[in-house]
Amino acid sequence: MSDVIRILGIDPGLRRTGWGLITVTGTRLAFVASGTVTSNGDDDLATRLRTLHEGLTKVVATLLPDEAAVEETFVNKDAQATLKLGHARAVALLVPALAGLPVAEYAANLVKKTVVGAGHAEKDQVGAMVRFLLPKATADTADAADALAIAITHASHRASRARMAAHAAAAGPGAARIAKAVARG
């Protein structure tokens, strides 16, 4: 029997950061837990980031994932909102990294394509496929469902990422840089 891998998916947001933990045994996925870390919109930025950090740190310490995956920032027309989202994303990357976990990053379109089959799927389609792939999932928010979709994406792509990294390491430093750039999408 294959080893069980615990994957934490994180959907970063300054107001709501969704998280979802799944296990992967061979090709079988299973739901473990999901939720949302929420910050108070009336607080200053530093306090909101601390709230996200504390919440995600508690999730990592309690659920003990083996790996983490974070959605990449979606750049929109509002530069200030994109910058604030980048701060929340930094916390989402930092917390599992500080716990010593490998952290993968996935573009939103790749998550949608992996889970739904279309890169421009709607949120309700993503949620429906998460419920289909993880029938016991109890995502309380769309952010938690998105985090589960990120974890599913990582489960789907982790083996090919590892193979690519191994081939690149064997080929030398130039190939390793190219493989790393390709893996980022």
Side-chain angles (χ1 to χ4, degrees), residues 91-111:
V91 171
L93 291 165
L94 180 64
V95 169
L98 286 173
L101 303 177
V103 182
E105 303 172 65
Y106 296 97
N109 284 349
L110 179 60
V111 172

Side-chain angles (χ1 to χ4, degrees), residues 98-134:
L98 286 173
L101 303 177
V103 182
E105 303 172 65
Y106 296 97
N109 284 349
L110 179 60
V111 172
K112 292 173 182 178
K113 186 169 180 76
T114 301
V115 175
V116 178
H120 296 287
E122 299 294 326
K123 271 197 177 285
D124 58 337
Q125 292 174 298
V126 172
M129 281 306 296
V130 165
R131 288 187 299 278
F132 177 77
L133 294 168
L134 303 169

Side-chain angles (χ1 to χ4, degrees), residues 25-175:
T25 309
T27 59
R28 191 174 75 77
L29 305 176
F31 170 77
V32 176
S34 67
T36 308
V37 178
T38 306
S39 73
N40 184 339
D42 294 331
D43 288 343
D44 60 84
L45 179 61
T47 302
R48 294 175 78 184
L49 293 173
R50 186 187 74 209
T51 299
L52 296 178
H53 183 274
E54 290 169 349
L56 285 176
T57 299
K58 183 177 179 182
V59 168
V60 169
T62 303
L63 298 176
L64 302 172
D66 299 308
E67 301 176 10
V70 178
E71 187 173 77
E72 291 181 349
T73 301
F74 175 80
V75 178
N76 59 34
K77 293 177 184 169
D78 182 354
Q80 193 67 18
T82 301
L83 183 59
K84 287 180 180 178
L85 176 58
H87 292 312
R89 188 169 174 280
V91 171
L93 291 165
L94 180 64
V95 169
L98 286 173
L101 303 177
V103 182
E105 303 172 65
Y106 296 97
N109 284 349
L110 179 60
V111 172
K112 292 173 182 178
K113 186 169 180 76
T114 301
V115 175
V116 178
H120 296 287
E122 299 294 326
K123 271 197 177 285
D124 58 337
Q125 292 174 298
V126 172
M129 281 306 296
V130 165
R131 288 187 299 278
F132 177 77
L133 294 168
L134 303 169
K136 295 181 182 180
T138 55
D140 59 346
T141 64
D143 301 294
D146 287 349
L148 288 167
I150 294 161
I152 291 167
T153 299
H154 183 60
S156 176
H157 292 272
R158 64 187 293 278
S160 61
R161 290 172 64 103
R163 278 193 305 275
M164 206 163 50
H167 288 299

